[in-house]
Amino acid sequence: MLREFYIKNKFKLILISTLIFNSSYLPTSLATENKPEVKSEYLVNSGDTLFIEFKGINLFSNNYLVSNEGLINLPEINKFNVSGKTIGEIEKEIKIAFQDYLISPDIAVSIRGYRPVKFYLGGEVRVPGLYQLPYKISYNIAPTVVGIEQNAKETPNIQALTPPRLFDAIKEGSGFTKNADLSRVQIIRNNSISKGGGKIKGTVNILNLIKSGDQSSNIVIQDGDSIFVKRSENVIKEQLLSITRSNLSPSKITIFVNGNVSNRGMISMKQGSRVSDAIAAAGGKLDNSGKVEFIRFNKDGIDQRKLFDFDFRNKRQANNPLLQEGDIINVRLNLLGKTTVITRDVVKPFLSSYGLYSIFRDL
């Protein structure tokens, strides 16, 4: 009896442990955080165009534009709400609505035109905010026979509508902070009514796409999505280099060069440029230059402030960082340069005086 009791309780313990540690037993609301993508159907809304085919009744078959209120105007029924519904849900409801007018209504619904995708981009990006991306139209140029002489005329035919994807969306943020973790990009999305409504979320590793070309992580984004680039407490240098070498960051950045250089002010530089490149673009250091001051800002204020001796002969030195949007470089004067400037500023108003000029000449 004791042996049987021991075996039964040991089995229960193993079963409970399995349920706790196996993520597949977690409820959807908790488990979605670790899913590679957010799976959901397209939700129709204002700006979409639906093609509704009433099979056997060509008079009713037509394109129907969804109004600002999320309505379409159907024959016999008039205003019909399609806002926030999937194609399957709309098709089912229209069939029910037409049962009073048609015998065994056979109706098919499809999307003919897509509205632009509005989404929020936040987290560790340079410019968080609300953005909008359109569906891209692919054209197939096909020759069409025209007139008696059968002259070929090229007319563009729409081949496909391509939705924006995650890579396109996060490019809108104009780059990333040094703490961005692209292995954990969170997507929050509206869920369909038939699947419970509310919000669903998932985490995507977009770094796989940058490093190995894994297209499965480049998911389609949908209208109303919220995208957050998570923060890493440690700077991931390998990741920053991967981002800089890719076209995920802007091809051009704007930085500011001040101090003892030929051309002070705002300069546009290629992504991946360093402090030495910026100083060279500003005309190089002038005589009597001293240390170089480097300032970088983040969302909360000054993030980095360095003062270092700069040597153009060693461009890969630690004191030659990669530049980011908005960086400031100030080339200071050395002691002799400072003295010269002070003397020039003091003497200049009095140079017409021969006596003062003689004093400085004799020194």
Side-chain angles (χ1 to χ4, degrees):
M1 287 290 292
L2 287 172
R3 188 171 181 275
E4 185 178 347
F5 174 82
Y6 173 78
I7 291 171
K8 285 182 178 179
N9 280 275
K10 187 176 180 181
F11 177 77
K12 288 180 181 178
L13 182 62
I14 292 171
L15 180 62
I16 291 169
S17 301
T18 304
L19 288 171
I20 291 173
F21 293 105
N22 191 341
S23 62
S24 63
Y25 287 94
L26 290 171
T28 304
S29 59
L30 297 177
T32 48
E33 184 69 24
N34 297 318
K35 287 185 178 179
E37 60 178 278
V38 185
K39 293 182 179 179
S40 61
E41 295 181 74
Y42 186 85
L43 303 181
V44 173
N45 218 318
S46 172
D48 288 330
T49 300
L50 303 179
F51 178 72
I52 304 178
E53 181 184 7
F54 292 80
K55 295 180 181 179
I57 312 175
N58 293 334
L59 184 64
F60 286 3
S61 297
N62 209 339
N63 291 323
Y64 294 86
L65 178 65
V66 183
S67 70
N68 291 334
E69 293 76 28
L71 305 172
I72 57 174
N73 203 9
L74 291 174
E76 303 296 340
I77 293 174
N78 296 323
K79 292 181 180 179
F80 186 84
N81 183 26
V82 295
S83 177
K85 299 174 183 177
T86 67
I87 291 299
E89 291 166 351
I90 294 169
E91 195 172 274
K92 183 179 179 180
E93 290 181 13
I94 291 178
K95 286 178 180 178
I96 294 172
F98 271 93
Q99 283 179 349
D100 294 336
Y101 304 93
L102 303 173
I103 300 173
S104 300
D106 190 0
I107 299 169
V109 180
S110 59
I111 301 178
R112 185 60 57 88
Y114 292 88
R115 67 189 184 275
V117 175
K118 294 178 182 177
F119 61 95
Y120 177 79
L121 179 63
E124 298 302 308
V125 293
R126 290 285 171 195
V127 187
L130 188 65
Y131 293 93
Q132 178 175 295
L133 287 172
Y135 273 66
K136 295 177 182 177
I137 301 175
S138 299
Y139 290 99
N140 181 26
I141 305 299
T144 304
V145 177
V146 178
I148 300 174
E149 297 179 0
Q150 296 189 353
N151 295 321
K153 179 182 178 182
E154 289 189 345
T155 57
N157 297 319
I158 294 176
Q159 188 177 30
L161 291 170
T162 306
R165 292 185 173 269
L166 181 58
F167 193 87
D168 305 314
I170 59 179
K171 280 180 71 174
E172 296 294 303
S174 299
F176 308 90
T177 71
K178 66 178 183 178
N179 292 97
D181 185 358
L182 293 185
S183 67
R184 297 186 303 133
V185 179
Q186 188 180 67
I187 316 292
I188 301 175
R189 177 171 295 172
N190 295 319
N191 196 17
S192 61
I193 297 169
S194 58
K195 292 188 177 179
K199 301 282 186 179
I200 56 174
K201 65 180 179 180
T203 302
V204 180
N205 185 354
I206 197 70
L207 198 60
N208 286 340
L209 175 64
I210 301 169
K211 297 178 73 174
S212 63
D214 181 9
Q215 293 284 341
S216 65
S217 59
N218 193 21
I219 66 170
V220 171
I221 61 168
Q222 294 186 8
D223 191 42
D225 281 357
S226 293
I227 303 167
F228 296 92
V229 177
K230 293 288 191 74
R231 177 182 175 84
S232 171
E233 292 307 317
N234 300 314
V235 178
I236 309 173
K237 293 183 179 179
E238 181 186 354
Q239 178 174 288
L240 283 175
L241 288 172
S242 297
I243 295 169
T244 302
R245 294 191 187 106
S246 74
N247 65 342
L248 194 57
S249 295
S251 59
K252 293 282 187 179
I253 56 174
T254 301
I255 55 96
F256 302 88
V257 182
N258 197 18
N260 200 36
V261 292
S262 300
N263 303 307
R264 304 174 187 174
M266 186 169 63
I267 299 177
S268 179
M269 303 290 298
K270 289 182 180 179
Q271 184 70 249
S273 299
R274 293 180 176 269
V275 168
S276 59
D277 302 315
I279 294 174
K285 296 193 297 182
L286 300 178
D287 293 339
N288 300 325
S289 291
K291 292 187 176 184
V292 172
E293 187 176 16
F294 174 78
I295 301 172
R296 174 170 292 166
F297 293 91
N298 61 16
K299 294 181 288 187
D300 304 318
I302 292 179
D303 184 41
Q304 293 182 44
R305 188 166 196 155
K306 294 181 180 180
L307 186 63
F308 49 83
D309 293 312
F310 190 82
D311 183 3
F312 265 99
R313 293 170 296 180
N314 185 10
K315 291 188 177 183
R316 304 300 294 182
Q317 61 182 316
N319 290 334
N320 192 17
L322 286 167
L323 294 170
Q324 293 182 10
E325 180 74 22
D327 284 349
I328 298 173
I329 300 165
N330 181 41
V331 180
R332 292 187 174 185
L333 291 164
N334 59 19
L335 183 59
L336 177 61
K338 290 177 182 177
T339 305
T340 303
V341 169
I342 293 171
T343 304
R344 184 184 66 231
D345 291 344
V346 170
V347 173
K348 189 174 181 180
F350 305 101
L351 283 180
S352 58
S353 169
Y354 179 79
L356 193 58
Y357 171 75
S358 299
I359 293 173
F360 277 99
R361 183 191 60 184
D362 295 336
L363 289 175

